[in-house]
Every structure is written in C-alpha cells, then in structure tokens.
Amino acid sequence: MKVNLGFRVITEIQRPDRELVEKFRGIPSSNINDIMNRMFCMGHELMPMNKAPLLGTAVTVKAPMGDNLALTRAMDIAQAGDVIVVDGEGCEDRALMGEMMLTYCERKGIAGFVIDGAIRDSEAMRHSSTPMYCRAVAPQGPFKNGPGEINVPIACGGQVVFPGDILVGDEDGIVVIRPEYAEELAEEARKKHEKETATLAKREEDAKSGELFSKHEKKYAKMFEDLGGQYADRY
C-alpha cells in the first residue's frame, strides 16, 4: 500500500483568514451554538483547566490510546493561532501532554488545546494563559510508539472536527464552526449576544414594574398550553 493510512501527516490545510476568526472573539460559545440550532458544542466531559478563552483554527490529531507521538509532531506543524485538537480515543489512564509540552507550545503562540484524553501537571495547566480542555488528569505518562495521523477529520467530544475549523471556547464549553458558514454565524451570534446583554441590563427595571414577571408568564404559559400542557386541581 502506497498510502500509510493511520500513520501520516497531511501537510497542507486551508485556514480561514484571521480577521474572520477574530469576529467570534468575546461571543459566548452558548450564543454561537444557539444560532446553529444547538447542535455543534462538544460534550461536557471536555472540561476547561483554566479560565483562558479559546479562539483559533484547528490542527487535528488522531492518536491511539495513551500514545502522543503524533501530538508531539503536531506541535511543530501547528502555527501561531492554531488550536491543537486531539482525538485520544477518550483514554483517561495515560496523559498525552504535560507542562514541558505546554511551555514549548506557549512560546510558539499555539492558541490552545482540546484533548479528548488525559493530561498531567494540572497545576501548571490551571495557571497557564493558554486554554486547555481535557477529559481527565492522570500522572501516568504516554507511549511514543505511534501510529497516528495529523490534519485529518477527527471525532472529539462528540463532534466532527476538520482541519481549519474555527473553535470558540469558554468556561461553558467549546463550539465547532465550519469556516464557510463563519461570516454569517459571527454576525448573527453577535446580534444575539448584544440582545441578551441589553435584556439583562433592563431586567432590574422590569422587575420593579412587574413587567418582567408578567411577560415571562404570558410567554411560557402559552408555550406550555400550545404543546398540550394541562392544569389540574389535584394529583
């Protein structure tokens, strides 16, 4: 076989313009995902190790359980502004990266990590300014035997991630965005965020007048009843 499937690097990927990526800065992952019919957030099992917001373009890694040879290679292939996204098959027993790898990538300007697997040196991760999401923390180190693939479509946190996808993350989680839809999504998500921010600012005033409660009851009573909800005097 000429193509060594499962043990290869795709060297050329298409990254969206940085200007397009930056349009998502400051927009909560939840607002973006709401615009996408709430279908494109990674699962809750990938938890943030620190409070640093995540924003960047995906360099993907497909790694066998407990092995980080492909991840170490991706550290050199990734560029400043890239997020390294790893399908580690959900392995929680062996850490795929730790502080030594983190500090190397910090100095390269890597925008963050999303690892569907384990990490170690958690204290360093918690105090880092580089966003880090992972499934687990484990002291046991990885193997470096391979195989593995870089810049291929992967599954991570229940989502398919393609090389060059835009990732936005915060303390709630991570949303995955295909670049071809990003321009419109950014505009709509920002409108939603601004609307919600204005609503929250007005909430105290509406609470004093009672309008907050009457509007809420009217809206959700109608929804409940339109869907067939009923009321009864007793159980």
Side-chain angles (χ1 to χ4, degrees):
M1 181 181 289
K2 292 183 179 180
V3 178
N4 196 6
L5 292 174
F7 207 174
R8 59 182 177 159
V9 177
I10 308 302
T11 56
E12 297 293 329
I13 66 171
Q14 189 169 356
R15 294 173 174 85
D17 291 341
R18 191 67 203 178
E19 183 180 350
L20 176 59
V21 177
E22 285 295 325
K23 289 186 177 183
F24 290 95
R25 188 171 296 281
I27 307 177
S29 61
S30 55
N31 286 161
I32 300 167
N33 195 46
D34 283 350
I35 297 299
M36 301 165 77
N37 285 299
R38 302 174 178 174
M39 292 284 287
F40 293 93
C41 270
M42 291 185 179
H44 64 88
E45 64 275 9
L46 295 183
M47 296 295 294
M49 290 298 296
N50 56 46
K51 294 180 181 292
L54 178 75
L55 179 64
T57 49
V59 164
T60 60
V61 179
K62 185 173 178 61
M65 288 180 127
D67 191 290
N68 77 349
L69 178 63
L71 173 55
T72 57
R73 192 71 193 92
M75 289 164 54
D76 291 319
I77 292 167
Q79 301 175 5
D82 285 338
V83 175
I84 297 179
V85 187
V86 183
D87 173 8
E89 299 187 352
C91 178
E92 299 182 359
D93 299 324
R94 291 186 179 275
L96 295 182
M97 73 173 291
E99 185 176 10
M100 296 292 286
M101 295 168 70
L102 174 67
T103 54
Y104 177 88
C105 291
E106 284 177 334
R107 283 151 182 78
K108 274 200 73 176
I110 301 303
F113 294 87
V114 180
I115 299 181
D116 200 342
I119 58 96
R120 63 181 181 180
D121 302 326
S122 57
E123 184 176 1
M125 305 298 184
R126 283 194 296 270
H127 291 95
S128 175
S129 59
T130 299
M132 167 67 68
Y133 293 78
C134 65
R135 181 182 284 267
V137 174
Q140 186 92 296
F143 299 109
K144 282 185 169 61
N145 301 324
E149 292 194 310
I150 299 171
N151 285 330
V152 296
I154 62 169
C156 186
Q159 293 293 334
V160 177
V161 183
F162 291 85
D165 278 356
I166 300 170
L167 274 72
V168 180
D170 47 35
E171 291 184 77
D172 286 346
I174 306 159
V175 64
V176 183
I177 303 156
R178 295 292 294 143
E180 57 263 40
Y181 307 119
E183 190 81 47
E184 183 179 355
L185 285 170
E187 182 179 347
E188 293 302 315
R190 189 162 296 281
K191 285 179 183 176
K192 180 176 178 61
H193 180 48
E194 289 172 353
K195 182 179 178 181
E196 288 190 359
T197 301
T199 298
L200 288 170
K202 194 172 180 292
R203 191 147 266 197
E204 186 64 31
E205 178 185 335
D206 287 350
K208 288 178 180 177
S209 69
E211 188 177 0
L212 172 66
F213 311 110
S214 60
K215 279 185 176 179
H216 186 278
E217 182 173 9
K218 182 178 179 181
K219 176 181 177 179
Y220 289 103
K222 183 178 187 306
M223 185 182 297
F224 178 80
E225 292 155 12
D226 286 351
L227 290 169
Q230 297 179 340
Y231 303 94
D233 292 334
R234 61 184 68 185
Y235 185 66

